[in-house]
Amino acid sequence: HEHRWGYEDQEAWRSAYHDCNGKSQSPIDIETSKAIYDRSLPAIKLDGYDLTDQPGLKLHNNGHTLQLSLPSSMRILKGFDEIYLAAQLHFHWGTIEVPGSEHTIDNVHFPAEIHVVHYNSKYADLAEAARKKDGLAVLGGFIGIGLHENENYEKILSALTDVSIEESNTMIPGFNIRHLLPNNLEKFYRYNGSLTTPPCFQTVNWTMFNDTITVSRRQLAALEKTLKAGQNQLLSKNFRAPQLLHGRRVLASFS
Ligand code: 1SD
Ligand code: ZN
């Protein structure tokens, strides 16, 4: 079941996976003029994100994305009603011509997007939590193109050729995952949504940071041109189209 869906026919997800047709789907377009400033949104406090002492982290090409496994010692201590433990991070991207972020800001896509997936510590693991209403918290960042190489992203991107084949893995040295997110974590949007891939469970408390992370054009091109999905196909354009809000509110931590 796992591998039958693809990004070419996203409408087909709705019939194959019941929840993909729900009314709280992700991603969404964030209409900045309609976001509601909420001064009571608590600041996010990350803990254990510095994995410099970890001997190795597993990097995996699963045919849908590039995914880095994370230890549950990495967690969000404050910002939500409960503590959320990290499970993995992964990316969504397009092609050189097509910007491939999942969320959009005022209908504009960014070149790519990072998702750091966390699950509620009261559940046993990611799989169990993914089915619970308060199960998941994903921290998302928009990735843009800057003049300089991003040395933190390079810790992952330098290993890309080792995972070019679908279902391949490699180990990379630990590093500070905090540096993959924007410097400013105080400005963010918050809304209730879903996994952006089948089975589209509507169990994600989404946080999208306002500030953009930048990588070099060369780094983005490497991400877009190295990984394969299947025998001859490039793994690219792995982003879902924005979904209808159906009355949901998008909160902003800033005005
Ligand atoms: O696309 C990912 C999917 O690969 C998996 O990581 C899932 C969590 O179990 O999350 C979605 S997403 O909503 O973070 N894109
Ligand atoms: Zn994702």
Side-chain angles (χ1 to χ4, degrees):
H1 208 64
E2 201 66 66
H3 268 269
R4 276 194 288 189
W5 60 272
Y7 284 97
E8 303 76 29
D9 190 7
Q10 301 181 18
E11 283 310 306
W13 302 3
R14 299 190 194 282
S15 42
Y17 303 87
H18 173 263
D19 288 15
C20 297
N21 202 29
K23 289 195 158 45
S24 295
Q25 288 292 290
S26 293
I28 58 163
D29 174 50
I30 297 169
E31 213 176 323
T32 55
S33 68
K34 290 198 178 152
I36 302 162
Y37 171 49
D38 182 352
R39 57 182 296 166
S40 72
L41 272 178
I44 291 166
K45 186 165 188 275
L46 304 176
D47 181 61
Y49 261 55
D50 188 351
L51 302 180
T52 309
D53 292 334
Q54 290 266 333
L57 301 171
K58 192 182 93 177
L59 187 67
H60 176 53
N61 168 356
N62 67 13
H64 299 303
T65 190
L66 173 68
Q67 184 167 301
L68 186 68
S69 297
L70 300 170
S72 57
S73 53
M74 222 180 106
R75 52 202 184 144
I76 312 174
L77 274 186
K78 289 181 188 159
F80 300 90
D81 292 339
E82 281 155 303
I83 289 174
Y84 284 77
L85 311 179
Q88 45 99 339
L89 64 80
H90 61 268
F91 304 91
H92 301 268
W93 62 89
T95 62
I96 301 294
E97 296 83 24
V98 181
S101 69
E102 296 214 289
H103 291 85
T104 53
I105 298 276
D106 295 327
N107 288 313
V108 176
H109 280 274
F110 286 79
E113 189 168 322
I114 179 174
H115 290 159
V116 190
V117 180
H118 302 74
Y119 63 97
N120 194 321
S121 63
K122 72 185 183 193
Y123 301 121
D125 53 28
L126 177 67
E128 183 192 339
R131 300 173 170 278
K132 312 287 184 182
K133 203 173 168 4
D134 56 358
L136 303 181
V138 180
L139 303 182
F142 293 111
I143 300 173
I145 296 174
L147 288 178
H148 305 287
E149 172 156 294
N150 185 318
E151 58 184 38
N152 299 298
Y153 273 73
E154 196 57 24
K155 313 231 177 200
I156 294 175
L157 298 177
S158 63
L160 273 181
T161 52
D162 299 336
V163 289
S164 64
I165 295 169
E166 179 172 351
E167 290 304 347
S168 58
N169 298 298
T170 193
M171 299 296 283
I172 65 169
F175 63 103
N176 193 342
I177 305 298
R178 168 69 182 85
H179 294 147
L180 297 178
L181 294 175
N183 289 332
N184 184 344
L185 300 183
E186 285 166 20
K187 293 167 84 174
F188 58 84
Y189 296 99
R190 173 69 56 74
Y191 78 98
N192 292 317
S194 74
L195 302 179
T196 66
T197 54
C200 307
F201 294 147
Q202 300 188 142
T203 55
V204 181
N205 193 344
W206 275 98
T207 301
M208 285 303 302
F209 295 112
N210 178 70
D211 287 19
T212 303
I213 306 132
T214 61
V215 301
S216 69
R217 190 171 294 280
R218 185 199 63 76
Q219 287 181 302
L220 186 68
L223 179 62
E224 292 169 345
K225 288 160 88 167
T226 311
L227 304 179
K228 286 188 290 186
Q231 294 287 322
N232 312 303
Q233 229 192 319
L234 214 51
L235 170 46
S236 65
K237 293 205 258 186
N238 58 348
F239 59 99
R240 188 187 195 190
Q243 305 293 302
L244 295 173
L245 271 181
H246 291 294
R248 282 175 290 171
R249 290 166 204 278
V250 178
L251 304 179
S253 68
F254 60 101
S255 60

Coordinates of all heavy atoms in Angstrom, one line a residue, residues 21-93:
N21 N -9.4 13.3 2.0 CA -10.6 14.1 1.5 C -11.2 14.9 2.7 O -12.3 15.4 2.5 CB -11.6 13.1 0.9 CG -12.6 13.8 0.0 OD1 -12.2 14.8 -0.6 ND2 -13.8 13.3 -0.1
G22 N -10.5 14.9 3.8 CA -11.1 15.6 5.0 C -11.1 17.1 4.9 O -10.7 17.7 3.9
K23 N -11.5 17.8 5.9 CA -11.7 19.2 5.9 C -10.6 20.0 6.7 O -10.7 21.2 6.9 CB -13.1 19.6 6.4 CG -14.2 19.2 5.4 CD -15.5 19.9 5.8 CE -16.5 20.0 4.6 NZ -16.6 18.8 3.8
S24 N -9.6 19.2 7.2 CA -8.5 19.9 7.9 C -7.2 19.4 7.3 O -6.3 18.9 8.0 CB -8.5 19.6 9.4 OG -9.6 20.1 10.0
Q25 N -7.0 19.5 5.9 CA -5.9 19.0 5.3 C -4.7 20.0 5.2 O -4.9 21.2 5.2 CB -6.3 18.5 3.8 CG -7.1 17.3 3.9 CD -6.3 16.1 4.3 OE1 -5.5 15.6 3.6 NE2 -6.6 15.6 5.5
S26 N -3.5 19.5 5.0 CA -2.3 20.3 4.8 C -1.7 19.9 3.5 O -1.8 18.7 3.0 CB -1.4 20.1 5.9 OG -1.9 20.6 7.1
P27 N -0.8 20.8 2.9 CA -0.5 22.1 3.3 C -1.7 23.1 3.0 O -2.7 22.7 2.5 CB 0.7 22.5 2.5 CG 0.5 21.8 1.2 CD -0.2 20.5 1.6
I28 N -1.4 24.3 3.4 CA -2.4 25.4 3.1 C -1.7 26.6 2.5 O -0.4 26.7 2.7 CB -3.2 25.8 4.3 CG1 -2.3 26.3 5.4 CG2 -4.1 24.7 4.8 CD1 -2.9 27.1 6.5
D29 N -2.4 27.5 1.9 CA -1.9 28.8 1.6 C -2.1 29.7 2.9 O -3.2 29.7 3.5 CB -2.6 29.5 0.5 CG -2.2 30.9 0.3 OD1 -0.9 31.2 0.2 OD2 -3.0 31.8 0.2
I30 N -1.0 30.3 3.4 CA -1.1 31.2 4.5 C -1.4 32.6 4.0 O -0.5 33.2 3.4 CB 0.1 31.1 5.4 CG1 0.3 29.7 5.9 CG2 0.1 32.2 6.5 CD1 1.7 29.5 6.6
E31 N -2.6 33.1 4.2 CA -3.0 34.4 3.7 C -2.6 35.4 4.9 O -3.3 35.4 5.9 CB -4.5 34.4 3.4 CG -4.8 35.4 2.3 CD -6.3 35.3 1.9 OE1 -6.9 34.2 2.0 OE2 -6.9 36.3 1.6
T32 N -1.5 36.1 4.7 CA -1.0 36.9 5.8 C -2.0 37.9 6.4 O -2.0 38.1 7.6 CB 0.3 37.6 5.5 OG1 0.1 38.4 4.3 CG2 1.4 36.6 5.1
S33 N -2.8 38.5 5.5 CA -3.7 39.5 6.0 C -4.9 38.9 6.8 O -5.5 39.6 7.5 CB -4.3 40.3 4.8 OG -5.1 39.4 4.0
K34 N -5.1 37.6 6.7 CA -6.1 36.9 7.4 C -5.6 36.2 8.6 O -6.4 35.7 9.4 CB -6.9 36.0 6.5 CG -7.7 36.7 5.5 CD -8.8 35.8 4.9 CE -9.6 36.6 3.9 NZ -10.2 35.7 2.8
A35 N -4.3 36.1 8.8 CA -3.8 35.4 10.0 C -4.1 36.2 11.2 O -4.1 37.5 11.2 CB -2.3 35.2 9.9
I36 N -4.5 35.6 12.3 CA -4.9 36.2 13.5 C -3.8 36.3 14.5 O -3.3 35.3 15.0 CB -6.1 35.5 14.1 CG1 -7.3 35.4 13.1 CG2 -6.6 36.1 15.4 CD1 -8.3 34.4 13.4
Y37 N -3.4 37.5 14.8 CA -2.3 37.7 15.9 C -2.9 37.2 17.2 O -3.9 37.6 17.7 CB -1.9 39.2 15.9 CG -1.0 39.5 17.1 CD1 0.1 38.7 17.3 CD2 -1.3 40.6 17.9 CE1 1.0 39.0 18.4 CE2 -0.4 40.9 19.0 CZ 0.7 40.1 19.2 OH 1.6 40.4 20.3
D38 N -2.1 36.3 17.8 CA -2.5 35.7 19.1 C -1.3 35.9 20.1 O -0.3 35.1 20.0 CB -2.8 34.2 18.9 CG -3.3 33.6 20.3 OD1 -3.2 34.3 21.3 OD2 -3.7 32.5 20.2
R39 N -1.4 36.9 20.9 CA -0.3 37.2 21.8 C -0.1 36.2 22.9 O 0.9 36.1 23.5 CB -0.4 38.6 22.4 CG -1.7 38.8 23.2 CD -1.9 40.2 23.7 NE -0.8 40.5 24.7 CZ -0.5 41.7 25.2 NH1 -1.2 42.7 24.7 NH2 0.4 41.8 26.1
S40 N -1.0 35.3 23.0 CA -0.9 34.2 24.0 C -0.2 33.0 23.5 O 0.0 32.0 24.3 CB -2.3 33.9 24.6 OG -3.0 33.2 23.7
L41 N 0.1 33.0 22.2 CA 0.8 31.8 21.7 C 2.2 31.6 22.4 O 3.0 32.5 22.3 CB 1.1 31.9 20.2 CG 0.0 31.4 19.2 CD1 0.4 31.7 17.8 CD2 -0.3 30.0 19.4
P42 N 2.4 30.5 23.1 CA 3.7 30.4 23.9 C 4.9 30.3 23.0 O 4.8 29.7 21.9 CB 3.4 29.2 24.7 CG 2.4 28.4 24.0 CD 1.5 29.3 23.2
A43 N 6.0 30.8 23.4 CA 7.3 30.7 22.7 C 7.7 29.2 22.7 O 7.4 28.4 23.6 CB 8.3 31.5 23.4
I44 N 8.3 28.8 21.6 CA 8.8 27.5 21.4 C 10.2 27.3 22.0 O 11.1 28.1 21.8 CB 8.8 27.1 19.9 CG1 7.4 27.1 19.3 CG2 9.6 25.8 19.6 CD1 7.3 27.1 17.8
K45 N 10.3 26.3 22.8 CA 11.6 26.0 23.4 C 12.1 24.6 23.0 O 11.4 23.6 23.4 CB 11.6 26.1 24.9 CG 12.9 26.0 25.6 CD 12.9 26.5 27.0 CE 14.3 26.5 27.6 NZ 14.7 25.2 28.1
L46 N 13.2 24.5 22.3 CA 13.7 23.3 21.8 C 14.7 22.7 22.8 O 15.4 23.5 23.4 CB 14.3 23.4 20.4 CG 13.5 24.1 19.3 CD1 14.2 24.3 18.1 CD2 12.2 23.2 19.1
D47 N 14.9 21.4 22.9 CA 15.8 20.8 23.8 C 16.5 19.6 23.1 O 15.8 18.9 22.4 CB 15.1 20.4 25.0 CG 16.0 19.8 26.0 OD1 16.9 20.5 26.5 OD2 15.8 18.6 26.4
G48 N 17.8 19.5 23.3 CA 18.5 18.3 22.8 C 18.7 18.3 21.3 O 19.0 17.3 20.7
Y49 N 18.5 19.5 20.7 CA 18.7 19.5 19.2 C 20.1 19.4 18.8 O 20.4 19.2 17.6 CB 18.1 20.9 18.7 CG 16.7 20.7 18.1 CD1 15.6 20.2 18.8 CD2 16.4 21.2 16.8 CE1 14.4 20.0 18.3 CE2 15.2 21.1 16.2 CZ 14.1 20.5 17.0 OH 12.9 20.4 16.5
D50 N 21.1 19.7 19.7 CA 22.5 19.6 19.3 C 22.9 18.2 19.4 O 23.2 17.6 20.4 CB 23.3 20.5 20.3 CG 24.8 20.6 19.8 OD1 25.1 19.8 18.8 OD2 25.5 21.4 20.3
L51 N 23.1 17.6 18.2 CA 23.4 16.1 18.1 C 24.9 16.0 17.7 O 25.2 14.9 17.2 CB 22.5 15.5 17.1 CG 21.0 15.5 17.4 CD1 20.2 14.8 16.3 CD2 20.7 15.0 18.7
T52 N 25.7 17.0 18.0 CA 27.1 16.9 17.7 C 27.8 15.6 18.2 O 28.7 15.1 17.6 CB 27.8 18.2 18.2 OG1 27.1 19.3 17.8 CG2 29.3 18.2 17.6
D53 N 27.4 15.2 19.4 CA 28.0 14.0 20.0 C 27.4 12.7 19.5 O 27.9 11.6 19.9 CB 27.9 14.1 21.5 CG 28.7 15.3 22.1 OD1 29.7 15.6 21.4 OD2 28.4 15.8 23.1
Q54 N 26.4 12.7 18.7 CA 25.8 11.5 18.2 C 26.8 10.9 17.1 O 27.1 11.6 16.1 CB 24.5 11.8 17.5 CG 23.4 12.1 18.5 CD 22.6 10.9 18.9 OE1 22.5 9.9 18.2 NE2 22.0 10.9 20.1
P55 N 27.2 9.7 17.2 CA 28.1 9.1 16.2 C 27.5 9.1 14.8 O 28.2 9.3 13.8 CB 28.4 7.7 16.7 CG 27.3 7.4 17.7 CD 26.8 8.7 18.3
G56 N 26.3 8.8 14.7 CA 25.7 8.7 13.3 C 24.2 8.8 13.3 O 23.5 8.4 14.2
L57 N 23.7 9.5 12.3 CA 22.3 9.6 12.0 C 22.0 9.0 10.7 O 22.7 9.1 9.7 CB 21.9 11.1 12.0 CG 22.2 11.9 13.2 CD1 22.0 13.4 13.0 CD2 21.4 11.5 14.4
K58 N 20.8 8.3 10.6 CA 20.5 7.6 9.4 C 19.8 8.5 8.4 O 18.8 9.1 8.7 CB 19.6 6.4 9.7 CG 19.4 5.5 8.5 CD 18.5 4.3 8.8 CE 17.0 4.7 8.4 NZ 16.1 3.5 8.6
L59 N 20.4 8.6 7.2 CA 19.8 9.3 6.1 C 19.2 8.4 5.1 O 19.9 7.4 4.7 CB 20.8 10.2 5.5 CG 20.4 11.2 4.4 CD1 19.5 12.3 5.1 CD2 21.6 11.9 3.8
H60 N 18.0 8.6 4.7 CA 17.2 7.6 3.9 C 16.5 8.2 2.7 O 15.9 9.3 2.9 CB 16.2 6.9 4.9 CG 15.3 5.9 4.3 ND1 15.8 4.8 3.5 CD2 14.0 5.8 4.3 CE1 14.7 4.1 3.1 NE2 13.6 4.6 3.6
N61 N 16.6 7.6 1.6 CA 15.8 8.0 0.4 C 14.6 7.0 0.4 O 14.8 5.8 0.0 CB 16.6 7.9 -0.9 CG 15.8 8.0 -2.1 OD1 14.5 8.1 -2.1 ND2 16.5 8.0 -3.3
N62 N 13.4 7.4 0.7 CA 12.3 6.5 0.7 C 11.4 6.6 -0.5 O 10.3 6.0 -0.6 CB 11.4 6.7 2.0 CG 10.7 8.0 2.0 OD1 10.6 8.7 1.0 ND2 10.2 8.4 3.2
G63 N 11.9 7.3 -1.5 CA 11.2 7.3 -2.8 C 10.2 8.5 -2.8 O 9.8 8.9 -3.9
H64 N 9.9 9.0 -1.6 CA 9.0 10.2 -1.6 C 9.7 11.4 -1.1 O 9.3 12.6 -1.3 CB 7.8 9.9 -0.6 CG 6.9 8.8 -1.1 ND1 6.3 8.8 -2.3 CD2 6.6 7.7 -0.4 CE1 5.6 7.7 -2.4 NE2 5.8 7.0 -1.3
T65 N 10.8 11.2 -0.3 CA 11.5 12.3 0.3 C 12.9 11.8 0.7 O 13.2 10.6 0.7 CB 10.8 13.0 1.4 OG1 11.4 14.2 1.8 CG2 10.7 12.0 2.7
L66 N 13.7 12.8 1.2 CA 15.0 12.5 1.8 C 14.7 12.7 3.3 O 14.3 13.8 3.7 CB 16.0 13.6 1.3 CG 17.4 13.6 2.0 CD1 18.1 12.3 1.7 CD2 18.2 14.8 1.6
Q67 N 15.0 11.7 4.1 CA 14.6 11.7 5.5 C 15.8 11.4 6.4 O 16.6 10.5 6.2 CB 13.5 10.7 5.7 CG 12.9 10.7 7.1 CD 11.7 9.8 7.1 OE1 10.7 10.2 6.5 NE2 11.7 8.8 7.9
L68 N 15.9 12.2 7.5 CA 17.0 12.0 8.5 C 16.3 11.5 9.8 O 15.4 12.2 10.3 CB 17.7 13.3 8.7 CG 18.9 13.2 9.6 CD1 20.1 12.4 9.0 CD2 19.4 14.7 10.0
S69 N 16.7 10.4 10.3 CA 16.1 9.9 11.5 C 16.7 10.7 12.7 O 17.8 11.0 12.7 CB 16.4 8.4 11.7 OG 15.8 7.7 10.7
L70 N 15.8 10.9 13.7 CA 16.2 11.7 14.8 C 16.0 11.0 16.1 O 15.0 10.2 16.2 CB 15.5 13.1 14.8 CG 15.7 14.0 13.6 CD1 14.7 15.1 13.6 CD2 17.2 14.5 13.5
P71 N 16.8 11.2 17.2 CA 16.6 10.5 18.4 C 15.5 11.2 19.3 O 15.3 12.4 19.1 CB 17.9 10.7 19.1 CG 18.5 11.9 18.6 CD 18.0 12.0 17.1
S72 N 14.8 10.5 20.1 CA 13.7 11.1 20.9 C 14.2 11.9 22.1 O 13.5 12.5 22.8 CB 12.8 10.0 21.4 OG 13.5 9.0 22.2
S73 N 15.6 12.0 22.2 CA 16.2 12.9 23.2 C 16.0 14.3 22.7 O 16.2 15.3 23.4 CB 17.7 12.6 23.4 OG 18.3 12.5 22.1
M74 N 15.7 14.5 21.4 CA 15.5 15.8 20.8 C 14.0 16.1 21.0 O 13.1 15.3 20.6 CB 15.8 15.6 19.3 CG 16.5 16.8 18.7 SD 16.8 16.4 16.9 CE 15.6 17.5 16.2
R75 N 13.6 17.2 21.5 CA 12.2 17.5 21.8 C 11.8 18.9 21.9 O 12.7 19.8 22.0 CB 11.9 16.8 23.1 CG 12.8 17.1 24.2 CD 12.8 16.1 25.4 NE 13.6 16.6 26.4 CZ 13.5 16.5 27.7 NH1 12.4 15.8 28.2 NH2 14.3 17.1 28.6
I76 N 10.5 19.2 21.9 CA 10.0 20.5 22.1 C 9.5 20.5 23.5 O 8.6 19.8 23.9 CB 8.8 20.8 21.1 CG1 9.2 20.5 19.7 CG2 8.5 22.3 21.2 CD1 8.0 20.6 18.7
L77 N 10.2 21.3 24.4 CA 9.8 21.4 25.8 C 8.7 22.4 26.1 O 7.9 22.1 26.9 CB 11.1 21.9 26.6 CG 12.1 20.8 27.0 CD1 13.1 21.5 27.9 CD2 11.4 19.7 27.7
K78 N 8.7 23.5 25.3 CA 7.6 24.5 25.5 C 7.1 24.9 24.2 O 7.8 24.9 23.2 CB 8.1 25.7 26.3 CG 8.4 25.4 27.8 CD 8.9 26.6 28.5 CE 9.4 26.3 29.9 NZ 10.3 27.3 30.4
G79 N 5.8 25.4 24.2 CA 5.2 25.9 23.0 C 3.9 25.1 22.7 O 3.1 25.6 21.9
F80 N 3.7 24.0 23.3 CA 2.5 23.2 23.1 C 2.0 22.7 24.5 O 2.7 22.9 25.5 CB 2.8 22.0 22.3 CG 3.3 22.4 20.9 CD1 4.7 22.5 20.6 CD2 2.4 22.6 19.9 CE1 5.1 22.9 19.4 CE2 2.8 23.0 18.6 CZ 4.2 23.2 18.4
D81 N 0.8 22.2 24.5 CA 0.3 21.7 25.8 C 1.0 20.5 26.4 O 1.0 20.3 27.6 CB -1.2 21.3 25.6 CG -2.1 22.5 25.3 OD1 -1.6 23.6 25.6 OD2 -3.2 22.3 24.8
E82 N 1.7 19.8 25.6 CA 2.4 18.6 26.1 C 3.8 18.6 25.4 O 4.1 19.4 24.6 CB 1.7 17.3 25.8 CG 0.5 17.2 26.8 CD -0.6 16.3 26.3 OE1 -1.2 16.6 25.2 OE2 -0.9 15.3 26.9
I83 N 4.7 17.6 25.8 CA 6.0 17.6 25.3 C 6.0 16.7 24.0 O 5.4 15.6 24.0 CB 7.0 17.0 26.4 CG1 7.2 18.1 27.5 CG2 8.3 16.6 25.8 CD1 8.0 17.6 28.6
Y84 N 6.7 17.2 23.0 CA 6.7 16.4 21.8 C 8.2 16.0 21.5 O 9.1 16.8 21.6 CB 6.2 17.3 20.6 CG 4.6 17.4 20.7 CD1 4.0 18.2 21.6 CD2 3.9 16.6 19.8 CE1 2.6 18.2 21.6 CE2 2.5 16.6 19.8 CZ 1.9 17.4 20.7 OH 0.5 17.5 20.8
L85 N 8.3 14.7 21.1 CA 9.6 14.2 20.8 C 9.9 14.1 19.3 O 9.0 13.8 18.6 CB 9.7 12.7 21.4 CG 9.3 12.6 22.9 CD1 9.4 11.1 23.3 CD2 10.1 13.5 23.8
A86 N 11.1 14.3 18.9 CA 11.4 14.3 17.5 C 11.5 12.9 17.0 O 11.9 11.9 17.7 CB 12.8 15.0 17.2
A87 N 11.1 12.7 15.7 CA 11.2 11.4 15.1 C 12.1 11.4 13.8 O 13.0 10.6 13.7 CB 9.8 10.8 14.7
Q88 N 11.9 12.4 13.0 CA 12.6 12.5 11.8 C 12.4 13.9 11.2 O 11.5 14.6 11.6 CB 12.1 11.5 10.8 CG 10.6 11.3 10.7 CD 10.0 12.0 9.5 OE1 10.6 12.9 8.9 NE2 8.8 11.5 9.1
L89 N 13.3 14.3 10.3 CA 13.1 15.5 9.5 C 13.2 15.1 8.0 O 13.8 14.1 7.7 CB 14.0 16.6 9.8 CG 15.5 16.4 9.6 CD1 15.9 16.7 8.2 CD2 16.3 17.4 10.5
H90 N 12.5 15.8 7.2 CA 12.6 15.5 5.7 C 12.3 16.8 4.9 O 12.0 17.9 5.5 CB 11.6 14.4 5.4 CG 10.2 14.9 5.7 ND1 9.6 14.6 6.9 CD2 9.3 15.6 5.0 CE1 8.3 15.1 6.9 NE2 8.1 15.7 5.7
F91 N 12.3 16.7 3.6 CA 12.2 17.9 2.8 C 11.2 17.7 1.7 O 10.9 16.6 1.3 CB 13.6 18.2 2.1 CG 14.7 18.4 3.2 CD1 15.5 17.3 3.5 CD2 14.9 19.6 3.7 CE1 16.5 17.4 4.5 CE2 15.9 19.8 4.7 CZ 16.7 18.7 5.1
H92 N 10.7 18.8 1.2 CA 9.8 18.9 0.0 C 10.5 19.9 -0.9 O 10.9 21.0 -0.5 CB 8.4 19.3 0.4 CG 7.8 18.4 1.4 ND1 7.0 17.3 1.0 CD2 7.8 18.3 2.7 CE1 6.6 16.6 2.1 NE2 7.1 17.2 3.1
W93 N 10.5 19.6 -2.2 CA 11.2 20.5 -3.2 C 10.6 20.4 -4.6 O 9.7 19.5 -4.8 CB 12.7 20.3 -3.2 CG 13.1 18.9 -3.6 CD1 13.3 18.5 -4.9 CD2 13.3 17.7 -2.8 NE1 13.6 17.2 -5.0 CE2 13.6 16.7 -3.7 CE3 13.2 17.5 -1.5 CZ2 13.9 15.4 -3.2 CZ3 13.5 16.2 -1.0 CH2 13.8 15.2 -1.9

